[in-house]
Amino acid sequence: MRIKTGQVTMQLCTALFLLGISAVAPVKHSLEYFYTLSSEAPNFPEFVAVILVDEVQIIHYNRNMKSAEPKQDWVNKITEDIPAYWEKRTERLKLNQEMFKSIIETAKPCLNYTGGLYIVQGILSCDWDDESDEVNVFTQFGYDGEDFLSLDMKTQTWIPLHQQAVVVKELLDNNKPLLTYFKHYFTQECRHWLKKFLNYGKSSLMRKDLPSVSLLQKTPSSPLTCHATGFYPDRADLFWKKDEEELHEDVVKGEILPNHDGSFQMSVDLDLSGLKDEDWGRYSCVFHLAVGQEVSKRLDKRDIRTNWREKRSRDKGFPSAVVVGLLLLAIIALFLLWRRNIQTSESSPSSGEDPAVKKEISEKQTMLQTT
């Protein structure tokens, strides 16, 4: 496993800043090839290859595809310089697949393989320092989910990482063409292609966006959430610190999630249950981007965004709102009933106008006249 130097660089830059010395941290870029070879894995291609620049996937290929394909639009710019790039890249990946298979066939007797499922994974990468122009390389293989072999390019020997890999190491040390291939790749090709990809994708790969940082809390008893959104790239960290020292207890860190615009967001919760009022000013939430840029937000009650006060006010006002609403409905219903009665009485004949009564009066008048 490689040792990441990001935290060491951050501490060094901080120390120089405190001493009043200005410093520009060098930027390291990486080109990584991830390979997976499997046998009899259900619903999974026999061979998969993924290529990343600065941890951003740029090319994908698997055994079931006719050609490798770009995962970023800017990668297609390469065809302006190399029109047949995708054909050549696809052919190269097919050769990588055959190389993997030949290594496995050579190693099968040492692995006591008798058939069935197996998974072999490999990573080839180089890191380039844009200030010193130094390149560090890394090659490692895994077998069935466990570290298996790594390659030391300085001595050009294989390092066994598993007991079963000891015999395989001896076989691969004697494979001079394979060692020659790796040496040529790491000394010539890796730096060349990394610089090429960085040039094509600089508008995207070199993009550095700092986030907006907010303090959020659902209720006074809930954990306090520090939320950072809108940052790019996703090589970032978000943490709570007390008196300039990072906190690990009473802290729950969330995952980095994508936003719809291509930027990212993340959050980290802090348990406030044991926090005294006089200690609030000693806490800060810090966002750190991989290139060394930071955003810090000190813990202040006035900056906490919450809706629990408004919600409680709405809840308290709910019964009176219901009463007022019911009263209005009752008034409307009474008004409609009164109006209907009025309309009915106006359209109905009066008691003196009843036809039966009129007929009786008419008959009596006729009898009087005849007598």
Side-chain angles (χ1 to χ4, degrees):
M1 183 178 292
R2 290 173 294 175
I3 299 175
K4 295 186 177 180
T5 59
Q7 293 181 346
V8 176
T9 303
M10 173 186 169
Q11 293 173 356
L12 175 60
C13 291
T14 303
L16 291 172
F17 174 79
L18 293 175
L19 291 172
I21 303 174
S22 61
V24 178
V27 177
K28 289 191 176 183
H29 301 280
S30 63
L31 174 60
E32 299 172 300
Y33 297 77
F34 288 91
Y35 302 111
T36 301
L37 179 70
S38 61
S39 174
E40 300 184 22
N43 302 318
F44 194 79
E46 179 187 19
F47 180 74
V48 177
V50 177
I51 303 177
L52 298 88
V53 172
D54 286 355
E55 300 183 15
V56 175
Q57 184 181 168
I58 64 168
I59 296 174
H60 173 81
Y61 171 78
N62 69 59
R63 177 69 172 76
N64 300 332
M65 297 168 58
K66 294 181 179 180
S67 173
E69 62 179 25
K71 302 302 290 184
Q72 306 293 329
D73 292 339
W74 56 261
V75 180
N76 274 318
K77 293 180 182 179
I78 200 169
T79 57
E80 298 174 3
D81 298 329
I82 311 173
Y85 172 78
W86 292 110
E87 292 82 354
K88 293 181 178 180
R89 173 56 67 187
T90 302
E91 187 62 31
R92 184 67 173 272
L93 291 171
K94 289 180 178 179
L95 291 174
N96 292 147
Q97 176 184 347
E98 294 305 316
M99 179 187 69
F100 265 67
K101 292 181 70 173
S102 65
I103 293 174
I104 291 300
E105 291 300 321
T106 303
K108 275 182 179 180
C110 309
L111 299 173
N112 298 322
Y113 177 76
T114 58
L117 173 66
Y118 71 77
I119 297 178
V120 178
Q121 294 172 297
I123 174 173
L124 286 71
S125 72
C126 61
D127 295 331
W128 170 60
D129 189 315
D130 66 356
E131 186 177 80
S132 66
D133 204 36
E134 179 184 0
V135 175
N136 294 313
V137 301
F138 177 79
T139 301
Q140 184 166 311
F141 293 89
Y143 182 74
D144 283 351
E146 296 185 14
D147 292 341
F148 196 74
L149 276 171
S150 66
L151 177 61
D152 185 342
M153 279 306 304
K154 292 182 179 179
T155 62
Q156 295 189 42
T157 57
W158 293 91
I159 310 299
L161 306 175
H162 192 281
Q163 185 176 359
Q164 287 182 305
V166 175
V167 179
V168 179
K169 162 203 160 44
E170 296 176 358
L171 294 172
L172 295 181
D173 281 342
N174 294 325
N175 190 337
K176 300 305 179 182
L178 183 62
L179 289 172
T180 301
Y181 165 79
F182 281 118
K183 181 179 180 180
H184 172 75
Y185 170 77
F186 284 124
T187 57
Q188 303 294 328
E189 291 193 32
C190 197
R191 185 199 324 239
H192 167 76
W193 283 110
L194 176 54
K195 289 182 178 181
K196 219 170 185 50
F197 286 130
L198 287 171
N199 182 56
Y200 291 129
K202 57 186 176 183
S203 60
S204 175
L205 295 172
M206 303 298 183
R207 173 184 164 193
K208 305 291 185 298
D209 295 339
L210 291 174
S212 61
V213 180
S214 304
L215 302 179
L216 311 173
Q217 191 177 30
K218 292 181 179 180
T219 68
S221 60
S222 301
L224 181 65
T225 298
C226 178
H227 183 253
T229 184
F231 62 87
Y232 188 92
D234 61 350
R235 300 190 305 280
D237 194 13
L238 186 67
F239 55 90
W240 283 99
K241 68 179 183 179
K242 178 183 178 182
D243 296 336
E244 307 306 319
E245 183 175 346
E246 183 176 350
L247 290 174
H248 298 284
E249 295 183 0
D250 301 324
V251 170
V252 178
K253 185 175 294 187
E255 297 179 354
I256 296 179
L257 302 173
N259 290 323
H260 69 280
D261 60 357
S263 65
F264 298 91
Q265 62 171 296
M266 66 186 306
S267 62
V268 57
D269 293 347
L270 174 66
D271 185 0
L272 298 177
S273 58
L275 186 62
K276 299 178 181 178
D277 290 343
E278 58 268 24
D279 291 336
W280 277 60
R282 301 170 62 186
Y283 289 79
S284 296
C285 177
V286 179
F287 171 87
H288 176 72
L289 204 57
V291 294
Q293 296 173 292
E294 283 191 353
V295 176
S296 180
K297 193 171 189 66
R298 189 166 295 278
L299 182 54
D300 190 327
K301 291 183 178 181
R302 294 170 296 182
D303 292 335
I304 298 176
R305 297 168 57 185
T306 180
N307 63 352
W308 71 273
R309 296 184 184 89
E310 292 79 1
K311 183 177 184 298
R312 186 175 62 176
S313 298
R314 291 195 301 268
D315 291 345
K316 284 185 176 179
F318 180 74
S320 58
V322 171
V323 171
V324 172
L326 291 175
L327 286 174
L328 288 174
L329 289 174
I331 292 172
I332 293 172
L334 290 172
F335 172 77
L336 293 175
L337 181 62
W338 172 78
R339 185 176 178 181
R340 188 180 65 181
N341 290 337
I342 291 296
Q343 292 176 342
T344 301
S345 62
E346 289 178 349
S347 60
S348 300
S350 61
S351 57
E353 298 288 328
D354 189 293
V357 174
K358 288 178 66 179
K359 181 179 180 182
E360 183 180 355
I361 293 174
S362 177
E363 291 177 349
K364 287 182 178 179
Q365 289 177 345
T366 300
M367 291 175 61
L368 288 173
Q369 291 175 359
T370 56
T371 57

